[in-house]
Amino acid sequence: MKLKQRVVLLAILLVIFIFTKVFLIDNSDSSAANREDQHSFQRMMDKLKIELNPNLEHTLQSPWEIAAQWVVPREVYPEDTPELGAILHAMATKKIIKADVGYKGTQLKALLVLEGGQKVVFKPKRYSRSYVVEGEPYAGYDRHNAEVSAFHLDRILGLRRAPVVVGRYVNLHTEIKPVASEQLLSTFLTQGNNSCFYGKCYYCRESEPACADGHIMEGSVILWLPDIWPLQKHRHPWGRTYREGKLARWEYDESYCDAVKKTPPYDSGPRLLDIIDTAIFDYLIGNADRHHYESFQDDGGASMLILLDNAKSFGNPSLDERSILAAVYQCCIIRVSTWNRLNYLKNGVLSTAMRTAMSHDPINPVLTDAHLDAMDRRLMAIIATIKQCIEQFGTDSVLVEDRMKLSHLK
């Protein structure tokens, strides 16, 4: 073989060697990441069932101190939460020492302070479990059980961006009225033998109170985030106009995501991928009402999109509102870790995990079978949407490796 041919052959072999090495390294990194995703999923499944137990071992801290220390820019609570059962128990049982009207908003709620000084938001039951909310996908009152369900879905998806929530029964006569502010107390009334209140909010009306069964009211209790983490409100780029006959740009412009990608904080950092995660989360629960969202203040786009106010969910199990997924099918990107988690939850695993996670909640059963079946069905629609994106743009463009280092992880 001539020298020139040998040089050419060696050059070809060198190129093949380099590409093979790069391919193997990439595959090795990908395989390692996928294995970590599998291990994380298994750890979550192993610890899914939470018994509400007052005992806190190996610590002198209160449940409220522990929960406050959990919060970091990218998580409301860590992956490993052995104290979660004690915190949920405290939220469901601690004495109520103050009660007032809720913070500003459109829906009825009360702001409670529990023994030890912990603020929580109480959302009362307005519907029976089997009630179907007809009309627009964002119609109806808040659903208290939706907040409980959304928290556990957040755990199952591995997002850890929703506040801690638990169901609770309160006696309006003995637990709320004796410690209620004058403003809240002025909204109490009686219908038949049932105690009711209508609170203060944009849509709160004396003619539409929330009523207890006698004096006992079912509701959900949402843990207030620590005051050292002030929130910043943002308009959701895929929010609705809520005006008949007026469409938002994303509803008619299929290239809308290109414009979003050029706009801070979506032009860099994790926020756009958080929007995608949130669209998936909202589609699974049927929440078409996320017109705004919160992050931590002055975060420069680096903190998480916090999954607050999830109560306009689980209204109609027969309605799969595809427009909730607009950010997904218009941007056609998704975190690899989210994609892996969705695939682990196929074949009924999601609904089984939800049942297990909520089995010890005081207001269990939290959801009807129809709503749980709807979650399995919607999951497959999400996976089909991502597969269409992959077919159109390729795996490398659609699946984004974005595993941000969290302070809880070593």
Side-chain angles (χ1 to χ4, degrees):
M1 186 179 294
K2 294 180 180 179
L3 179 61
K4 186 176 181 181
Q5 290 174 319
R6 289 178 180 176
V7 170
V8 171
L9 181 60
L10 284 171
I12 292 171
L13 289 173
L14 182 61
V15 170
I16 292 172
F17 172 76
I18 291 171
F19 273 100
T20 301
K21 189 173 182 181
V22 169
F23 176 78
L24 288 173
I25 290 172
D26 285 349
N27 272 343
S28 174
D29 289 346
S30 176
S31 297
N34 288 339
R35 283 196 298 272
E36 175 52 35
D37 285 344
Q38 281 185 315
H39 293 156
S40 178
F41 176 72
Q42 195 55 56
R43 288 194 298 270
M44 179 277 297
M45 291 294 284
D46 290 343
K47 298 174 182 178
L48 200 53
K49 184 180 287 189
I50 303 171
E51 293 190 26
L52 274 62
N53 189 318
N55 297 326
L56 273 173
E57 299 179 356
H58 313 301
T59 181
L60 296 176
Q61 292 181 302
S62 72
W64 315 137
E65 291 170 327
I66 292 170
Q69 290 174 2
W70 279 349
V71 182
V72 294
R74 294 293 306 171
E75 290 183 328
V76 174
Y77 53 93
E79 181 181 28
D80 188 25
T81 53
E83 307 92 350
L84 183 56
I87 291 168
L88 293 175
H89 182 272
M91 292 169 64
T93 61
K94 284 286 187 183
K95 183 179 179 181
I96 299 166
I97 59 175
K98 290 182 183 178
D100 201 354
V101 295
Y103 55 91
K104 290 181 180 180
T106 62
Q107 299 290 313
L108 173 60
K109 61 186 77 71
L111 181 61
L112 309 180
V113 179
L114 304 183
E115 186 178 13
Q118 178 62 51
K119 288 189 286 188
V120 296
V121 175
F122 179 77
K123 294 194 176 181
K125 176 182 177 180
R126 304 300 296 260
Y127 300 114
S128 67
R129 295 291 191 275
S130 58
Y131 185 88
V132 175
V133 179
E134 303 286 357
E136 297 290 348
Y138 44 82
Y141 301 122
D142 274 1
R143 276 76 80 178
H144 72 296
N145 57 318
E147 292 284 8
V148 177
S149 307
F151 164 61
H152 289 289
L153 176 63
D154 179 66
R155 294 175 58 217
I156 290 166
L157 291 178
L159 301 177
R160 301 190 287 280
R161 299 173 205 156
V164 179
V165 186
V166 71
R168 177 165 178 163
Y169 291 96
V170 297
N171 188 311
L172 296 182
H173 184 67
T174 61
E175 292 184 273
I176 300 294
K177 292 181 77 172
V179 296
S181 67
E182 288 187 13
Q183 193 174 25
L184 178 60
L185 205 56
S186 68
T187 73
F188 273 79
L189 51 91
T190 301
Q191 289 189 353
N193 294 321
N194 301 322
S195 294
C196 312
F197 77 100
Y198 57 91
K200 298 284 185 181
C201 70
Y202 187 81
Y203 290 123
C204 289
R205 304 283 186 273
E206 185 175 354
S207 58
E208 300 179 22
C211 291
D213 182 5
H215 294 307
I216 306 301
M217 175 170 277
E218 179 183 318
S220 60
V221 174
I222 305 159
L223 195 67
W224 194 269
L225 291 172
D227 291 335
I228 61 169
W229 293 96
L231 300 181
Q232 183 174 353
K233 195 169 188 175
H234 309 265
R235 184 175 295 277
H236 195 296
W238 276 269
R240 302 173 189 278
T241 66
Y242 298 91
R243 299 177 192 169
E244 189 174 350
K246 183 174 176 59
L247 298 177
R249 180 177 168 183
W250 62 267
E251 294 181 277
Y252 60 82
D253 182 0
E254 286 300 316
S255 64
Y256 175 68
C257 185
D258 293 334
V260 174
K261 288 178 180 178
K262 298 174 184 176
T263 307
Y266 312 107
D267 56 344
S268 63
R271 188 63 58 79
L272 182 57
L273 288 166
D274 284 359
I275 290 282
I276 301 299
D277 286 344
T278 303
I280 289 167
F281 176 83
D282 283 339
Y283 184 71
L284 288 170
I285 64 180
N287 179 18
D289 195 43
R290 203 174 294 280
H291 42 84
H292 289 79
Y293 69 86
E294 284 81 13
S295 70
F296 291 130
Q297 207 170 71
D298 300 324
D299 65 345
S303 92
M304 62 188 155
L305 187 164
I306 306 168
L307 298 172
L308 293 174
D309 292 332
N310 302 305
K312 281 293 184 74
S313 310
F314 299 106
N316 187 342
S318 300
L319 177 62
D320 299 342
E321 181 55 50
R322 182 167 168 75
S323 65
I324 300 172
L325 284 179
V328 177
Y329 57 71
Q330 289 180 358
C331 296
C332 269
I333 56 172
I334 185 174
R335 285 186 170 98
V336 173
S337 55
T338 302
W339 175 242
N340 286 340
R341 183 61 62 101
L342 295 177
N343 280 283
Y344 299 149
L345 292 167
K346 293 188 300 187
N347 303 317
V349 175
L350 175 57
S351 58
T352 299
M354 287 291 291
R355 285 187 179 92
T356 301
M358 299 186 294
S359 61
H360 282 283
D361 193 273
I363 65 169
N364 190 56
V366 180
L367 291 176
T368 63
D369 288 343
H371 282 298
L372 291 165
D373 292 343
M375 295 181 76
D376 285 334
R377 183 181 68 243
R378 291 167 187 161
L379 172 63
M380 297 313 297
I382 295 167
I383 290 173
T385 299
I386 299 300
K387 285 183 175 179
Q388 288 175 353
C389 287
I390 291 172
E391 289 174 6
Q392 184 175 358
F393 299 107
T395 302
D396 291 343
S397 295
V398 176
L399 303 186
V400 180
E401 191 63 64
D402 178 43
R403 297 163 198 273
M404 299 190 68
K405 197 74 174 176
L406 304 176
S407 65
H408 290 303
L409 303 179
K410 304 299 182 184

